Amino acid sequence: MIRKFLCVVSLLMCAAAGAQTIPSSAPAGNFVDVGGVKLWYEECGAANLSAAGVILLHDGLMHSLTWDGVWAPLCAKYHVVRYDRRGYGRSEPSKDPFVPEDDLYKVMRQVHVDRAIVVGNSSGGGLALDFALAHPEMTVALFLIGPVVHGMASSDCFNERGSQNSAPLAHGDLQATARNWSKDRFLIAGDDPRARKQLYDALVQSPQNLKG
């Protein structure tokens, strides 16, 4: 089951990259209260108590809509869950210090997923690794896409890129910051203006993401 899932996700990710678009959608979803903070989540697919679920963790720039391109195909085969981490998208920001892997644990309990294949992108990959260390009994496998590994220093190139793209934030210019990120050559393969506009629009609509 795990090998089949990894093959399916790999093909879907390649297809999404080839299309170079970020399909827009407005899923209804639900909210779960975690220590006084409401986290938005969505689940799909038939629950199968004998099979592992699939958890999708977004990166540190976009919220869970980043998975729109592979959502429907995965939902056709698996019980899939995604959520907006604190301060991203439709979720409320943190009011007090918190442990991100505890949020993931509570979301999984909310949707009755006891074991999962955890898919993480960038900082979501870092969360996936931390969750696997904290809850190995709930982690069937990891599918990591450019993961941030906590404890390892970021490269100068990575830090400079982030500083340059986010420089307009120092003057409160959220649109310029969103524009910089939408032009980032590492985020979207090729130069598809539709995909880059969708990324820009998503950041303008959820400017709190830029402050994450």
Side-chain angles (χ1 to χ4, degrees):
M1 184 267 189
I2 295 174
R3 180 175 297 177
K4 180 180 178 182
F5 168 79
L6 297 180
C7 291
V8 169
V9 172
S10 296
L11 290 171
L12 291 174
M13 294 301 291
C14 289
Q20 300 175 3
T21 58
I22 306 173
S24 59
S25 64
N30 294 284
F31 288 90
V32 57
D33 188 292
V34 180
V37 175
K38 291 183 179 179
L39 300 182
W40 180 93
Y41 72 92
E42 182 183 18
E43 62 178 324
C44 68
N48 184 344
L49 297 179
S50 64
V54 176
I55 308 295
L56 303 176
L57 303 176
H58 65 79
D59 59 83
L61 183 66
M62 296 297 292
H63 48 290
S64 60
L65 65 77
T66 195
W67 300 110
D68 279 3
V70 297
W71 182 252
L74 287 177
C75 291
K77 292 180 175 293
Y78 307 100
H79 181 197
V80 191
V81 181
R82 60 176 171 175
Y83 73 102
D84 293 343
R85 287 150 48 196
R86 295 192 190 209
Y88 288 90
R90 291 140 289 197
S91 291
E92 295 179 343
S94 179
K95 300 176 182 178
D96 300 294
F98 72 102
V99 179
E101 50 267 38
D102 289 350
D103 283 356
L104 174 52
Y105 174 86
K106 291 175 181 177
V107 169
M108 289 178 64
R109 288 302 189 202
Q110 174 73 14
V111 297
H112 307 291
V113 172
D114 297 323
R115 299 161 59 250
I117 299 167
V118 186
V119 182
N121 179 27
S122 191
S123 65
L127 172 55
L129 287 166
D130 291 343
F131 181 82
L133 292 172
H135 300 283
E137 76 286 355
M138 299 179 71
T139 308
V140 175
L142 297 176
F143 188 98
L144 307 178
I145 307 163
V148 170
V149 181
H150 297 141
M152 292 184 64
S154 300
S155 68
D156 292 339
C157 178
F158 182 87
N159 291 331
E160 291 172 4
R161 166 189 167 227
S163 296
Q164 291 176 2
N165 286 346
S166 296
L169 280 179
H171 305 96
D173 195 337
L174 296 172
Q175 290 188 339
T177 305
R179 188 175 303 110
N180 285 348
W181 281 111
S182 72
K183 295 179 179 179
D184 188 282
R185 66 190 181 94
F186 295 105
L187 293 183
I188 297 175
D191 192 27
D192 187 331
R194 297 169 300 170
R196 294 191 179 279
K197 184 180 186 304
Q198 287 171 349
L199 176 61
Y200 171 80
D201 290 344
L203 291 175
V204 169
Q205 293 167 11
S206 299
Q208 65 275 22
N209 290 12
L210 296 169
K211 303 174 183 179

